[in-house]
Amino acid sequence: MQAVGTQAIGSEALPGARVGEVLRDEGVLEFATLQALSTRALDEGRPLTRVLMESGMVDGKHLAEVIGRCRNLPVIDLRQRLPAPDAIALLDATRAHELEVLPIQLERGHAVLAVADPFDGRVTNLLETFPVPATLVVAPAAELRYRLNLAYPAIDAVQDKIRAFEAEQPRPLHADPVIDLRDSADAPVVQVVNMILTQAKRDRSSDVHIEPQPNRLRVRFRVDGAMREALSLPATMAAALVSRLKIMAEMNIVEQRRPQDGQFTIAIDGRDVDVRVSTTATIFGEKAVLRLLDRSRSLLRLAELGMRPQLHELYARMSHSPFGMIVCSGPTGSGKTTTLYATLSEIARPDVNVMTIEDPVEYTFPEINQIQINEQAGLTFATGLRSILRQDPDMILVGEIRDGDTARIAVQAALTGHLVLSSLHATDSASALARLADVGVEPYLIASSVIGVVAQRLVRRTCSACRQSYEPSAQELHFYRACGGPADAVFLHGAGCEYCANTGYRDRIGVYEILLVSDQVRAMLQAEATPRQIRAAAQQEGLSTLQREGMALVAAGVTTIAEIVRSIYVL
């Protein structure tokens, strides 16, 4: 294996190999890591630079700078550069997204193309067949994808599809439309569904809400945890569009009164995206909510989650325990699964047997045994966990503790020499311990098995492109001081720009509260102390609360007081 890896790194047959060598020489990548990535690139027949981008192991801007140096190409900041319309017209949307190439300038018959990976052979072929002479510049992959989404919006042609649909369905609003469910790429409803899903994926949406209203069909995306309207369709399309989604998810299209669930997989921009579909009846018709899961997304590492160095060190010590239970708590959409996956990526080794039971399996680990819940087949968290305990595991990940049976089996596994990671819905770390007791686990078992609890939230980052200083309101300053925010902070917020869709925020970061179950906390658990009492004792031992951690991010200019109030406000 080492010989192959060494050959891969220095091989001229591996495009982008020089970039890997530079990153290794800079100390950004370890030699063993570069070997593994190079071997993967050779096996998949792709440039090493592309594998590096997808791995998430190198900062995107720094990677673009290294690529530019190795190819002797300039690096540009697309956040400050608007593509010219006449340049965009030179390349169709499909090829632009597929190759990740953005024409940004056309002057005197010469074009400038922004690319993330100039080592991609398809880019070279494009230059040879491009309508006009062109030169390349390098841009960070994330910035390039965002600009591509703005330049070539997937829903740009949706009005044409609406007119085509209405031409086929000349019915008044109060009548039920004749639904055309042809499984043809030319059917207007099929194309509208594909456009919505494509745009949602490109906008980094986690959920799509398709909501019937009295006189229209509203489509909203949840981006960075906040909802925003993306599209308004005629009310006549509601039944046809929901029926199309039901067909894709293999659901019953005749049943419109009862809630239904299903799922399907669709390829968007060359990536497979799993879509979970949930429908329910409202007073204006059926509403559908789609959860988008991109299994090909890069997996974050523990150091990239947003934990302060002290918290990261504490959590790393907890996660390297040979046995016991670590609970990750928070509301839906707070990033619990991401934290658990990042933990697995750090502690999984070839000499241990790691097994997971999840609903759904959101990210695939080739070296880990993962089980998907299937309630129709009788495979629940409880039954699956019992089965895992007969599979000689060392580490177990339980996607979610939902009932007493699952909780008790997980606790017993932790007590019998296994490291158990799981998630739980609770407002903070102390409440998570009380939640285990609520589902029927005896307090003395909780005290003996749980190593620690991580409570977390996700907050939106202030947009780096339009960030500027501002003066918070009196109410915000009162909350900031009450939560222990540093006194010498310079407050920053996003003014709103094209890069952040005028929201002032772009991307998210985790806020963490880690409660280590100390001897004092164990004694309080056995004495059945309240969560408030346990929380107060933990704070005396050094627990930094979610509010305090959030205000530290505010003081660092990462987010705003208003965002902390929205996401972490606790009475």
Side-chain angles (χ1 to χ4, degrees):
M1 175 65 74
Q2 184 171 357
V4 174
T6 305
Q7 182 182 8
I9 294 173
S11 173
E12 294 183 0
L14 179 60
R18 176 60 186 154
V19 174
E21 293 172 357
V22 171
L23 294 172
R24 180 197 61 194
D25 294 342
E26 292 179 344
V28 176
L29 289 178
E30 295 181 357
F31 183 75
T33 302
L34 183 57
Q35 276 187 314
L37 293 174
S38 300
T39 302
R40 174 181 160 190
L42 277 176
D43 292 342
E44 297 176 359
R46 298 193 298 162
L48 176 61
T49 41
R50 179 62 58 181
V51 175
L52 285 168
M53 291 174 193
E54 295 176 358
S55 72
M57 294 181 179
V58 184
D59 176 74
K61 292 183 179 180
H62 183 65
L63 180 58
E65 292 171 359
V66 174
I67 290 173
R69 293 204 308 265
C70 291
R71 284 299 300 265
N72 196 27
L73 294 173
V75 180
I76 65 168
D77 184 357
L78 285 177
R79 294 174 300 177
Q80 311 297 333
R81 183 75 175 266
L82 290 175
D86 55 351
I88 293 173
L90 294 172
L91 188 62
D92 66 89
T94 301
R95 294 196 73 193
H97 281 287
E98 179 184 353
L99 304 179
E100 293 191 346
V101 173
L102 176 64
I104 59 174
Q105 182 178 313
L106 177 63
E107 287 187 1
R108 299 178 182 177
H110 185 275
V112 177
L113 311 180
V115 299
D117 186 10
F119 292 94
D120 191 332
R122 298 175 302 171
V123 174
T124 304
N125 295 336
L126 175 66
L127 286 176
E128 295 174 352
T129 59
F130 207 67
V132 298
T135 55
L136 301 179
V137 294
V138 178
E143 294 179 11
L144 180 64
R145 294 186 188 113
Y146 182 75
R147 277 295 179 194
L148 279 170
N149 296 339
L150 293 179
Y152 302 99
I155 57 177
D156 207 24
V158 74
Q159 294 300 326
D160 295 336
K161 307 307 173 188
I162 292 174
R163 285 190 288 269
F165 176 84
E166 291 178 334
E168 295 178 0
Q169 315 290 334
R171 297 292 185 99
L173 283 178
H174 63 270
D176 292 331
V178 177
I179 300 173
D180 182 3
L181 297 177
R182 294 174 296 166
D183 191 14
S184 166
D186 296 329
V189 170
V190 173
Q191 292 192 337
V192 169
V193 168
N194 292 341
M195 288 177 182
I196 291 172
L197 291 171
T198 301
Q199 190 66 50
K201 167 67 170 57
R202 292 175 181 174
D203 286 353
R204 303 176 296 110
S205 305
S206 60
D207 301 87
V208 178
H209 291 242
I210 298 173
E211 304 166 323
Q213 303 289 301
N215 298 308
R216 65 175 182 141
L217 182 65
R218 180 173 65 174
V219 180
R220 293 194 292 171
F221 296 164
R222 186 178 294 278
V223 182
D224 293 336
M227 297 279 284
R228 63 177 177 84
E229 185 167 330
L231 190 62
S232 182
L233 300 172
T236 50
M237 292 194 74
L241 197 145
V242 173
S243 294
R244 170 60 185 167
L245 289 170
K246 285 183 174 181
I247 288 176
M248 296 173 74
E250 299 183 348
M251 297 158 66
N252 185 352
I253 66 170
V254 177
E255 179 58 71
Q256 298 179 357
R257 297 169 299 175
R258 296 179 180 177
Q260 295 189 66
D261 297 293
Q263 63 182 43
F264 62 89
T265 301
I266 185 171
I268 300 177
D269 295 334
R271 295 178 178 228
D272 285 340
V273 177
D274 289 342
V275 182
R276 287 191 287 168
V277 183
S278 174
T279 63
T280 191
T282 71
I283 58 174
F284 298 119
E286 278 191 288
K287 172 183 176 178
V289 176
L290 317 178
R291 169 65 57 90
L292 275 56
L293 302 172
D294 184 1
R295 294 190 182 185
S296 62
R297 72 187 189 280
S298 59
L299 184 66
L300 294 178
R301 306 171 76 182
L302 273 179
E304 299 169 332
L305 295 179
M307 292 183 186
R308 288 190 298 109
Q310 298 92 322
L311 291 182
H312 178 261
E313 182 181 352
L314 173 60
Y315 185 70
R317 290 205 315 268
M318 289 167 44
S319 61
H320 282 85
S321 174
F323 58 87
M325 186 173 179
I326 298 175
V327 178
C328 190
S329 69
T332 300
S334 59
K336 300 185 297 294
T337 301
T338 300
T339 299
L340 293 176
Y341 280 163
T343 306
L344 276 188
S345 69
E346 295 281 332
I347 64 178
R349 306 186 308 272
D351 60 334
V352 296
N353 178 23
V354 182
M355 300 195 69
T356 78
I357 181 162
E358 307 168 61
D359 184 25
V361 174
E362 296 186 16
Y363 188 93
T364 303
F365 293 82
E367 66 278 5
I368 290 177
N369 306 289
Q370 296 174 273
I371 299 174
Q372 168 74 54
I373 288 295
N374 187 343
E375 293 186 356
Q376 292 182 342
L379 180 57
T380 63
F381 277 110
T383 58
L385 190 49
R386 287 192 184 97
S387 174
I388 286 176
L389 291 176
R390 295 191 290 270
Q391 294 286 319
D392 185 32
D394 296 297
M395 302 175 187
I396 303 170
L397 186 150
V398 183
E400 183 181 342
I401 293 179
R402 296 177 178 173
D403 53 56
D405 285 343
T406 306
R408 283 188 289 271
I409 299 168
V411 166
Q412 290 294 337
L415 291 172
T416 53
H418 307 89
L419 178 63
V420 180
L421 308 175
S422 186
S423 69
L424 188 68
H425 287 101
T427 55
D428 58 37
S429 54
S431 298
L433 296 172
R435 175 65 180 148
L436 286 174
D438 288 342
V439 297
V441 182
E442 291 79 359
Y444 74 91
L445 290 178
I446 301 173
S448 302
S449 61
V450 178
I451 304 169
V453 182
V454 180
Q456 67 179 86
R457 301 287 193 278
L458 288 177
V459 298
R460 292 179 292 175
R461 292 177 181 264
T462 301
C463 176
S464 59
C466 60
R467 186 166 51 189
Q468 63 185 33
S469 61
Y470 79 109
E471 185 63 31
S473 67
Q475 186 178 7
E476 288 179 335
L477 284 174
H478 175 74
F479 183 79
Y480 176 80
R481 297 188 183 107
C483 293
D488 56 347
V490 175
F491 299 104
L492 302 175
H493 75 156
C497 65
E498 187 182 43
Y499 188 64
C500 63
N502 291 314
T503 63
Y505 300 98
R506 169 86 177 168
D507 293 328
R508 291 190 288 178
I509 187 171
V511 184
Y512 299 88
E513 170 185 299
I514 300 180
L515 188 156
L516 180 66
V517 179
S518 63
D519 291 339
Q520 182 181 358
V521 173
R522 288 192 181 94
M524 297 183 72
L525 283 169
Q526 292 176 340
E528 299 187 8
T530 65
R532 186 179 294 273
Q533 291 171 330
I534 292 175
R535 184 179 180 83
Q539 284 183 263
Q540 291 179 353
E541 293 185 331
L543 172 71
S544 181
T545 65
L546 283 169
Q547 293 90 339
R548 184 178 291 273
E549 289 296 314
M551 292 311 165
L553 291 178
V554 171
V558 176
T559 189
T560 64
I561 301 174
E563 179 65 9
I564 298 299
V565 172
R566 186 186 74 90
S567 303
I568 314 179
Y569 186 79
V570 179
L571 290 174

